[in-house]
Amino acid sequence: MPVIRIKQFIFCLCLMMFAGSGFAVVVAPPTIVKSFSSATVGLNLSTTLTFTITNPNGAVDLTGVSFNDTLPAGLIIANPDSLTGTCDPGVITPAVTSINLVGATILAGSSCTFSIDVLAIATGDQVNTTDPVTSNEGGTGGTATATVTVVTSDLTITSTHSGNFTRPQTGATYTLTVSNSGGADTIALITVTDTLPAGLTATAIDGANWICTLSPLGCTRGDTLFAGTSFEPIIITVNVGNNAGSTVTNTATVSGGGESNTANDTASDPTQIDAVLQMTVPTANVQAAAGSTASTTLNVNYAGGLGAITFACSGLPSAATCGFNPASVSATGATPVTLTISTTARSTAVLPPGPLAIPPQFTVLLALMGLAGLLLALTRTKNRRLRLATALAGMAFLVLAGCGSDNKTTGSTGGGTPAGTFAITVTASSASGGAAATSTVNLTVQ
């Protein structure tokens, strides 16, 4: 007699003995456990779900063992489902969103196991709980729960550059880097697009293993970007035009890869653009007496490439000139240039100290005129009066001729640099005409 039959015969005898003695025999229901093959699975990828049903009774077989498992919304049965294992003579039936077992027999103290692949169709924690497992002999048992987290790739992109650009400039570069910060590898084509700011023109775009075009400006690639890694960088070479603003922003965008989070797919790269030629005057206010010079320093910063830089002044007062040392700049970088403004001395003229003031010469003249009048009145002959008048006129001429030789006051200018404050414009320009810079120096002439 087979061993199984012997066990069943012994079990029946025991039942009869217990029945005859008034004791009831309790048969435990089957138990069920389940598990996923991994704690996480990538979106649109498969993981294996395994069920194990056990008969905890040491001497009683369980028949009609059955259960149903409805998958959570983020999982479906894969196609193909790769079903393996059996629970004879039960029937395992997979559907799109569920799997069930009907009519299995599990011998005493034994278990059966089967596995099936499920496909992840939504991200997040997918909690899967079965209905209770049942049997003819043991009735209804418990449930089983397992959780798998569905993850996806998460593409990000950065745009970087080194230093400030200059206006104009050729060969400036942006570097774009695509990374996968998600928990799963990419599963689809990845596309990068770049939008340059106004005033910048792309002349080249290239990246190892990327397929790139200048128009539209961007790149694509279809290989897998593994979780936590980055692709080779993309280099965009640009020319900076004279019409570029002082601050511009480059914008780069990545898409594809099978990701679901698109909130972090764009990178902005603010870029400062300086003029190729810059000039500043730390001390812009200078003074000079007429006939002397005034000096200040021009800080010239030149990026090069446009020929020698020369200097000129405009707005100078009359009879003033300017000079520069050095007279021109060709080296790149910062160069101090000394600006010297030369003025011319003014000539002076004699004027009375005021409209109501009488200088000493005029005082003498008035006294002589008074004396002459007295003498003329006392002189009776015509010839003497004539000679006396002639002598007095000569003396008056001598007195007037001496005016201005002593006690003179400067009141007007002529032939020199006038007094006042003058705004002088200093211009630096390149030989090619491609760059210019201006600064203002305020000259006060005393």
Side-chain angles (χ1 to χ4, degrees), residues 15 42 108 132 143 152 208 286 367:
L15 286 177
T143 61
T152 183
V286 295

Side-chain angles (χ1 to χ4, degrees), residues 336-401:
V337 175
T338 300
L339 164 66
T340 301
I341 302 173
S342 300
T343 64
T344 303
R346 297 183 292 270
S347 61
T348 59
V350 177
L351 291 175
L356 300 179
I358 302 176
Q361 294 88 339
F362 287 90
T363 303
V364 173
L365 180 60
L366 290 174
L368 289 174
M369 291 176 65
L371 179 60
L374 179 62
L375 290 175
L376 288 173
L378 295 176
T379 302
R380 297 182 180 274
T381 64
K382 182 178 180 180
N383 290 336
R384 288 183 177 179
R385 288 180 180 178
L386 180 59
R387 285 195 296 271
L388 181 59
T390 302
L392 290 174
M395 294 176 63
F397 174 76
L398 291 175
V399 171
L400 291 175

Side-chain angles (χ1 to χ4, degrees), residues 8-66:
Q8 292 177 339
F9 177 73
I10 295 174
F11 177 71
C12 291
L13 290 176
C14 292
L15 286 177
M16 290 186 292
M17 293 175 61
F18 279 110
S21 60
F23 290 97
V25 176
V26 178
V27 178
T31 62
I32 183 172
V33 294
K34 63 186 299 186
S35 63
F36 291 100
S37 57
S38 60
T40 62
V41 61
L43 182 66
N44 298 321
L45 298 178
S46 297
T47 184
T48 300
L49 179 59
T50 299
F51 301 89
T52 299
I53 302 95
T54 301
N55 180 355
N57 301 286
V60 179
D61 297 340
L62 298 178
T63 61
V65 175
S66 303

